[in-house]
Amino acid sequence: MSGQWAAPAADSAAATDRKALEILRTTFGHAAFRGAQEQIVAHVAGGGDALVLMPTGGGKSLCYQVPALLREGTAIVVSPLIALMQDQVGALSQLGVRAAFLNSTQDAFQSRDTERALEAGELDLLYVAPERLATPRCLELLARSKIALFAIDEAHCVSQWGHDFRPEYLQLSILHERFPAVPRIALTATADPQTRDEIRRRLGLGEARVFVSSFDRPNIRYAIVDKLDARAQLLRFIRDEHAGDAGIVYCLSRRKVDETAAWLAAQGIVALPYHAGMDAQSRAQNQARFQREDGIVVVATIAFGMGIDKPDVRFVAHLDLPKSIEGYYQETGRAGRDGEPADAWMAYGLADLVQQRRLIDMSEASEEFKRVSTAKLDALLGLCETAGCRRVRLLAYFGEQSAPCGNCDTCLVPPQTWDATEAARKALSAIYRTGQRFGAVHLIDVLRGRDNERVLRWDHHKLSVFGIGADLDENAWRSIFRQLVAMGLARVDHEAHGALRLTEAARPVLRGEQPVAMRRAVERKRAAAKPSRAPGGELPPAGADLLARLKAWRLAQAREQAVPAYVIFHDATLAEIARCQPGDLDALASIAGIGARKLERYGAALIAVVREAG
Ligand code: ADP
Ligand code: ZN
């Protein structure tokens, strides 16, 4: 050993780093650590406490899984998502890692088996539900066993002000008191400083090193389109850009979820509904199919989300406006956790804005809560209406500065702005002249000079504003009214059935003292000129056939073992095989996502599939 003259600590740290990389490559099949993973692994493996803030898909699991294998004893992982434990343990077992879980889904015999394995030192990782962990029985069991570390996943569940609060998490401070020498790592994708402080305080992590990653998700392409015929737009988006892909479509109401899912299914898309009004069994069934099978689209209310750990969701589509940027970011964050290209797509229109405002105005909540909700909605509207980079806007909201990304709709096809001063004046005048008692549909009829029954009934064809907007079509006017509301020049009066009213800010515009610039209403052009964004990049024609065969093989494996398809191999790994067409195990071993254990287990079968196709 050449290191005997070096300082022992530095020497063993370097050895640990080498070992960590080896585990990453041979066990997990990844070539290199991502971002802060390397530092976090070194810190925790060395016995330090850590608080890790990383976006969804950032790669939090490896931050405790690798130290679990580096340190002596068993890593205890606290996770609130009982439904996922089985899949996580299944995925680790595929890699040859000794993992198990303890939760309420097991019978006494199964638990006892697991407890015995823990005491005997036969486990690398043990997943435990939080309510189980704090029981005297479990604490005594831990005291009798060798514990490598505690990992507290979804650590924001300890925050009483957050929407995922779990009272059981408050008891986790006991771990520090009972096992002061065991390192702890808490992980979350919730970024805001209040939550961070609360986690530190409540879990006794005051001394922990904090690792904050960028919240950027560069592989997600953000696009927000003007809502014209939302369903048809959605269908075109799925068919043109995501045929056969897994995706989530969010709607606001249960009824709309059911209708949209049925409609998509009638168009030949494998679409399943999910909302809290369904019976528990069909809900669980739809979630399980989404998680385990390939290429299923789930249409859901926001009840669907927490507990979805599928890495290969290729798109998240919003047919309704979320409540805030936090909500939008969390929901869209479920796309592309595997780091491969994914889309966040939203159709947005005036009616959405009116609806969200009404939900706030009509709610029973306190004035303070309404004020905060309104401010959050306004920030989201700013994102929808911006002519600049969406990502810059998003990240700025989370306190991060960035440059235009080149991977959002406004970067790819910069929206044209136009001088809308005259049009804005006409629209505002129409609101004023009709007595501030009508919604956008009627106002547009008046502006465009349509003498329909409603217009005649109110004598609005006699007004000076009648027909002064005939030069613009209905979509253009819809976009104008939407932007007037988003800019705060007009507001929606819910006491008066959604009538538009002028605000103070409208005065200088009406008087012609203030110019108004608006985004031009255009539907995003078809994807013709877009570079291919299939996972792993473009495939040669023969590769497409091979990829289909590989997927069929994977599905059969997944069914046989009752695990999700991605647990066998990720899409990107299969795509890479389809491109390289490896002829032997050595060539196969060099492909990302194929570790030693999977090579041993599936290598021969994969080579056979490649040969058959060739
Ligand atoms: P999180 O829990 O932060 O949402 P995960 O731990 O589930 O993220 O990881 C997300 C995806 O990224 C997984 O598919 C995982 O295999 C992959 N991944 C994580 N770290 C790496 C890495 N260093 N190299 C390649 N892929 C990685
Ligand atoms: Zn951009």
Side-chain angles (χ1 to χ4, degrees):
M1 280 261 143
S2 61
Q4 64 182 343
W5 303 115
D11 185 49
S12 72
T16 305
D17 289 352
R18 263 201 310 280
K19 194 114 187 284
L21 197 59
E22 193 188 312
I23 290 173
L24 180 76
R25 291 189 175 146
T26 57
T27 303
F28 292 94
H30 298 315
F33 282 112
R34 246 191 220 163
Q37 279 176 338
E38 187 167 14
Q39 280 175 290
I40 299 166
V41 166
H43 181 71
V44 175
D49 289 345
L51 172 56
V52 172
L53 302 122
M54 224 183 238
T56 307
K60 285 187 282 300
S61 323
L62 283 180
C63 297
Y64 57 82
Q65 288 170 345
V66 176
L69 298 177
L70 284 166
R71 289 179 64 86
E72 206 188 320
T74 306
I76 307 296
V77 186
V78 187
S79 165
L81 308 173
I82 291 185
L84 287 184
M85 285 185 184
Q86 197 173 350
D87 285 345
Q88 278 158 345
V89 167
L92 286 167
S93 305
Q94 290 280 328
L95 301 172
V97 176
R98 302 172 304 171
F101 60 86
L102 280 179
N103 66 36
S104 52
T105 66
Q106 295 163 305
D107 61 34
F109 288 109
Q110 289 169 317
S111 309
R112 212 152 303 151
D113 246 13
T114 303
E115 290 172 10
R116 192 206 47 75
L118 173 68
E119 275 188 80
E122 292 165 6
L123 294 176
D124 300 312
L125 286 111
L126 176 64
Y127 287 77
V128 187
E131 60 276 10
R132 171 73 73 105
L133 189 65
T135 60
R137 179 188 164 88
C138 192
L139 290 171
E140 279 154 31
L141 171 71
L142 296 184
R144 289 196 301 275
S145 314
K146 176 86 189 143
I147 307 303
L149 60 98
F150 290 108
I152 301 165
D153 207 1
E154 313 287 352
H156 60 280
C157 290
V158 80
S159 162
Q160 280 174 307
W161 305 109
H163 38 7
D164 294 328
F165 176 55
R166 304 278 178 132
E168 312 88 69
Y169 262 64
L170 292 175
Q171 299 170 4
L172 295 178
S173 57
I174 202 169
L175 296 177
H176 184 43
E177 291 149 27
R178 292 284 289 265
F179 307 95
V182 178
R184 290 169 306 148
I185 170 172
L187 311 102
T188 178
T190 302
D192 64 282
Q194 296 96 306
T195 312
R196 192 189 309 177
D197 291 344
E198 219 180 331
I199 294 173
R200 284 168 65 135
R201 208 172 54 246
R202 295 198 186 277
L203 294 179
L205 283 168
E207 309 281 290
R209 190 158 153 204
V210 182
F211 296 87
V212 186
S213 299
S214 164
F215 270 68
D216 187 17
R217 300 283 309 279
N219 60 314
I220 297 182
R221 177 177 291 175
Y222 299 97
I224 301 176
V225 305
D226 287 350
K227 193 184 271 189
L228 303 171
D229 176 355
R231 271 184 184 178
Q233 287 171 291
L234 173 69
L235 183 64
R236 210 176 317 137
F237 166 71
I238 296 179
R239 281 198 178 143
D240 288 355
E241 304 186 32
H242 289 288
D245 285 346
I248 305 174
V249 177
Y250 282 113
C251 303
L252 208 55
S253 72
R254 294 169 185 186
R255 206 178 94 198
K256 189 159 167 190
V257 163
D258 286 331
E259 288 171 0
T260 308
W263 185 79
L264 283 176
Q267 310 302 314
I269 292 180
V270 190
L272 306 172
Y274 186 102
H275 57 70
M278 291 164 58
D279 67 274
Q281 198 192 343
S282 2
R283 218 169 50 206
Q285 206 169 15
N286 287 355
Q287 171 163 346
R289 278 192 66 192
F290 177 70
Q291 185 94 5
R292 279 155 190 257
E293 291 179 28
D294 270 341
I296 288 186
V297 175
V298 160
V299 185
T301 57
I302 49 172
F304 186 73
M306 178 99 172
I308 299 306
D309 192 14
K310 192 174 165 61
D312 54 357
V313 176
R314 294 271 66 87
F315 69 89
V316 169
H318 280 90
L319 284 189
D320 292 307
L321 196 64
K323 288 182 172 39
S324 63
I325 290 189
E326 288 96 326
Y328 173 75
Y329 188 77
Q330 194 172 46
E331 286 145 32
T332 55
R334 295 175 183 132
R337 293 172 68 138
D338 54 9
E340 297 296 320
D343 278 293
W345 181 92
M346 175 156 77
Y348 145 82
L350 177 62
D352 290 293
L353 199 166
V354 171
Q355 185 179 34
Q356 284 293 0
R357 284 262 154 86
R358 187 176 51 228
L359 288 176
I360 297 173
D361 290 347
M362 296 293 166
S363 83
E364 308 272 290
S366 68
E367 284 310 308
E368 166 70 1
F369 185 85
K370 287 186 185 180
R371 204 179 50 70
V372 172
S373 304
T374 303
K376 289 193 168 190
L377 180 59
D378 285 344
L380 180 63
L381 295 179
L383 176 73
C384 294
E385 301 289 357
T386 184
C389 172
R390 308 268 189 211
R391 195 179 312 269
V392 165
R393 258 317 240 264
L394 263 177
L395 292 175
Y397 185 79
F398 295 114
E400 236 178 285
Q401 287 204 340
S402 60
C405 72
N407 191 29
C408 70
D409 56 349
T410 53
C411 280
L412 290 164
V413 184
Q416 292 173 0
T417 53
W418 60 297
D419 179 358
T421 310
E422 268 318 297
R425 288 180 69 186
K426 288 178 185 174
L428 295 171
S429 303
I431 296 175
Y432 183 69
R433 297 275 167 215
T434 52
Q436 311 197 55
R437 281 158 43 211
F438 297 88
V441 173
H442 182 73
L443 293 168
I444 291 172
D445 283 345
V446 172
L447 281 164
R448 302 198 63 230
R450 297 181 52 182
D451 46 3
N452 59 23
E453 189 266 330
R454 215 168 127 90
V455 169
L456 295 175
R457 176 158 31 112
W458 293 97
D459 268 351
H460 285 165
H461 58 298
K462 296 185 182 152
L463 295 176
S464 58
V465 290
F466 183 73
I468 57 170
D471 53 326
L472 295 176
D473 69 11
E474 201 179 314
N475 285 334
W477 280 115
R478 279 216 291 241
S479 158
I480 290 164
F481 277 104
R482 190 192 76 222
Q483 294 186 65
L484 286 175
V485 175
M487 287 172 179
L489 297 175
R491 69 181 176 83
V492 183
D493 185 348
H494 295 293
E495 308 284 334
H497 308 288
L500 290 176
R501 292 177 165 278
L502 301 183
T503 64
E504 243 345 86
R507 275 174 201 271
V509 176
L510 267 172
R511 286 199 298 256
E513 293 163 11
Q514 188 186 312
V516 177
M518 285 190 182
R519 277 175 73 117
R520 197 177 288 288
V522 277
E523 201 190 350
R524 197 154 63 113
K525 290 280 167 291
R526 290 273 304 263
K530 246 197 243 173
S532 159
R533 303 198 313 123
E538 191 74 76
L539 278 179
D545 169 56
L546 176 51
L547 182 58
R549 285 166 186 261
L550 289 166
K551 283 193 174 174
W553 171 85
R554 177 178 66 178
L555 187 61
Q557 285 295 323
R559 289 230 167 103
E560 197 178 304
Q561 300 180 49
V563 293
Y566 63 79
V567 163
I568 309 284
F569 286 113
H570 278 184
D571 285 356
T573 305
L574 295 189
E576 189 64 18
I577 297 175
R579 196 178 20 255
C580 308
Q581 317 207 344
D584 54 39
L585 290 179
D586 276 347
L588 194 59
S590 68
I591 286 173
I594 302 194
R597 182 61 177 256
K598 286 194 174 172
L599 186 70
E600 187 185 315
R601 184 156 178 186
Y602 301 121
L606 284 173
I607 301 287
V609 177
V610 173
R611 291 226 174 101
E612 241 171 68

